[in-house]
Amino acid sequence: MIRVLLMELRRSPLRWWLPALLLIDLAALFGRSRSWIGVWPETSVAAQVPSFYFGPALAAAAAWAAGREGRGGAMPATPTSTRPRFLPELLLLTATLVYGTAVYACGALVAAAVSWSEAGPGFLWPGYLVIGLTVMTGCAAAGQLVGKTIRSTFLAPSVAGLGSLAVLAWVGSPHAFGLFVLSGSPQAQAAPAAVALRVGLALAAAGLALTLPDWWQARRSVLFRARSGLAAVGFGALLVALVAAAPQAGRVQVSRSAPAQPLCTTTTPKLCIWPEERKYLPKLAALSDRIALLPAGLFVVPDAFYEQGLRGPAHQYTDFPISEGSVWTVAESISIQILSATAPPRCKNLTEANTERMVKASWELGRWLNVTITGGPQPDDVHGGPPGLDTASIDQLAAGAPQAEQISWVNERLSVLREMPCA
């Protein structure tokens, strides 16, 4: 068995593509963003993302290898063998997955090594890595089935690779079927039920790839055909049942329970985060120090601010997120909370003109607070903002105008929020 597997490994086209696959893995890890470095759940998701690219590559390679024995008019070499027919198919699929898993594991180890010094206690979260393995297994199994059906040297790999890519892009995202994950916020984790279902899907697809060709190509007794056909039908039925059960399994990610003791700055006000994001503590302490320097008497500042998920769903849309490691998004949320505490809504029935004035004043104050709290203008990698806002003049005011001028400007807008007449 081992000797045959080694032979299949030598014959696989993937042996020539290992350097390219490793480059794809590293490009997927470091090319989009590096904010995952130092946060174990984000690192785990980043290590899983290359499976989106490896899946179609393994599908194409499996299709090429599966059609090899039938090209050139050659008959299958094993239909009269005393060994089970699925055994050669199993070795073929295993050889494909050995190469894919080896590169996938190398990428995961690189991600772990890069994060190690910053991340603190913990390691890669296995649930996310298992999701990537299920993507690769399912794609390789589908490619092997295509290769047994289409014996063309170029058509089979093309259909398998492009078809797998289309399926992953169409239904694979977390907002659709959820075959892979893109975000690794500490407030979420891979749902055990959803991971188990995807493992079942991958195994059912592999079982179908091993037994369906046996049914098609069996040249033995009627009993043998019935037995192999029953196995293929069973795996096919299992696959359909698991797909149907996917909505009941729920989302691929679910909320985690908040820790009893979140990690907080020692400053006033304190900023509290998930322990997995300890690397952001110095940046958040600097934000807190600048909040404490806001002109006295202008704003009501809460004693503490919390990252999303630490205080439950009730505060999901008021507590701050840490998006792509940006403190600007943290400052935006804190600014909203400070304005809400300083000038809470007083009237619900405002005229359209007064509503426009109130919204404009709120946006301008929010921008001024953002720049003041972060100590600089909006970063280039953060896009978007309120429409029609003169951000350049507000940034210039917050960055260099005398404090008396800034206080006067802030008071003008606070008066709009506090004294807005009711309709």
Side-chain angles (χ1 to χ4, degrees):
M1 289 289 295
I2 299 298
R3 182 175 59 83
V4 179
L5 177 59
L6 292 175
M7 183 178 67
E8 287 294 348
L9 289 172
R10 289 194 298 270
R11 299 170 71 188
S12 173
L14 287 173
R15 71 190 189 280
W16 304 111
W17 291 95
L18 283 178
L21 289 177
L22 188 56
L23 287 176
I24 291 173
D25 193 303
L26 296 178
L29 275 176
F30 299 105
R32 184 173 65 94
S33 171
R34 301 186 184 185
S35 61
W36 53 266
I37 296 174
V39 182
W40 284 124
E42 292 185 12
T43 300
S44 304
V45 168
Q48 168 261 175
V49 166
S51 66
F52 176 86
Y53 305 99
F54 288 170
L58 296 187
W64 187 93
R68 186 177 52 213
E69 68 178 12
R71 287 194 288 267
M75 296 295 292
T78 56
T80 59
S81 170
T82 58
R83 293 179 181 271
R85 170 66 196 183
F86 72 84
L87 194 56
E89 306 293 345
L90 176 61
L91 293 173
L92 198 62
L93 182 61
T94 301
T96 300
L97 290 175
V98 164
Y99 281 113
T101 304
V103 179
Y104 183 63
C106 286
L109 291 175
V110 169
V114 170
S115 284
W116 186 269
S117 61
E118 289 187 72
F123 197 60
L124 297 173
W125 292 16
Y128 291 129
L129 300 182
V130 171
I131 289 173
L133 289 174
T134 62
V135 169
M136 295 191 299
T137 301
C139 289
Q144 190 157 315
L145 273 177
V146 171
K148 290 294 181 179
T149 307
I150 305 173
R151 297 303 179 93
S152 169
T153 305
F154 301 105
L155 183 59
S158 300
V159 170
L162 294 176
S164 298
L165 182 62
V167 169
L168 289 176
W170 183 32
V171 300
S173 73
H175 302 294
F177 195 87
L179 295 176
F180 56 89
V181 180
L182 294 174
S183 173
S185 170
Q187 65 178 289
Q189 64 183 0
V195 173
L197 182 135
R198 281 149 184 79
V199 170
L201 283 172
L203 294 178
L208 197 61
L210 300 181
T211 57
L212 194 57
D214 188 17
W215 186 21
W216 288 339
Q217 300 173 6
R219 290 178 173 82
R220 302 185 186 181
S221 65
V222 174
L223 178 61
F224 182 83
R225 287 183 59 85
R227 187 172 59 189
S228 60
L230 184 62
V233 170
F235 281 117
L238 177 61
L239 189 64
V240 172
L242 289 173
V243 170
Q248 283 68 45
R251 297 172 61 87
V252 68
Q253 286 177 299
V254 293
S255 298
R256 295 174 65 205
S257 298
Q261 296 293 332
L263 193 61
C264 301
T265 63
T266 57
T267 55
T268 302
K270 68 178 181 179
L271 276 65
C272 298
I273 57 176
W274 289 81
E276 289 83 1
E277 295 193 309
R278 67 185 66 247
K279 76 169 188 174
Y280 296 120
L281 217 53
K283 291 182 178 180
L284 297 180
L287 282 185
S288 178
D289 289 340
R290 285 190 286 269
I291 294 172
L293 294 176
L294 289 173
L298 283 183
F299 299 100
V300 176
V301 179
D303 294 331
F305 299 92
Y306 294 87
E307 187 181 0
Q308 286 180 349
L310 289 176
R311 297 196 293 172
H315 300 274
Q316 182 69 17
Y317 299 105
T318 55
D319 289 344
F320 64 83
I322 300 179
S323 178
E324 297 286 333
S326 172
V327 295
W328 180 266
T329 58
V330 177
E332 284 182 323
S333 177
I334 288 175
S335 298
I336 293 172
Q337 293 182 61
I338 290 175
L339 288 177
S340 297
T342 303
R346 299 179 60 180
C347 296
K348 295 183 179 179
N349 301 316
L350 294 175
T351 64
E352 183 176 348
N354 284 336
T355 299
E356 290 180 359
R357 288 181 59 210
M358 183 185 68
V359 170
K360 185 174 184 292
S362 177
W363 284 348
E364 290 176 339
L365 281 171
R367 180 71 181 203
W368 181 87
L369 280 170
N370 290 352
V371 175
T372 302
I373 292 172
T374 57
Q378 179 172 311
D380 293 336
D381 57 350
V382 177
H383 306 286
L389 193 65
D390 186 2
T391 57
S393 62
I394 298 174
D395 293 354
Q396 186 176 2
L397 175 78
Q403 188 178 60
E405 181 181 342
Q406 295 191 50
I407 291 175
S408 175
W409 183 91
V410 168
N411 275 322
E412 288 177 5
R413 282 140 187 87
L414 285 176
S415 66
V416 174
L417 298 182
R418 289 170 174 156
E419 302 169 9
M420 186 64 66
C422 296

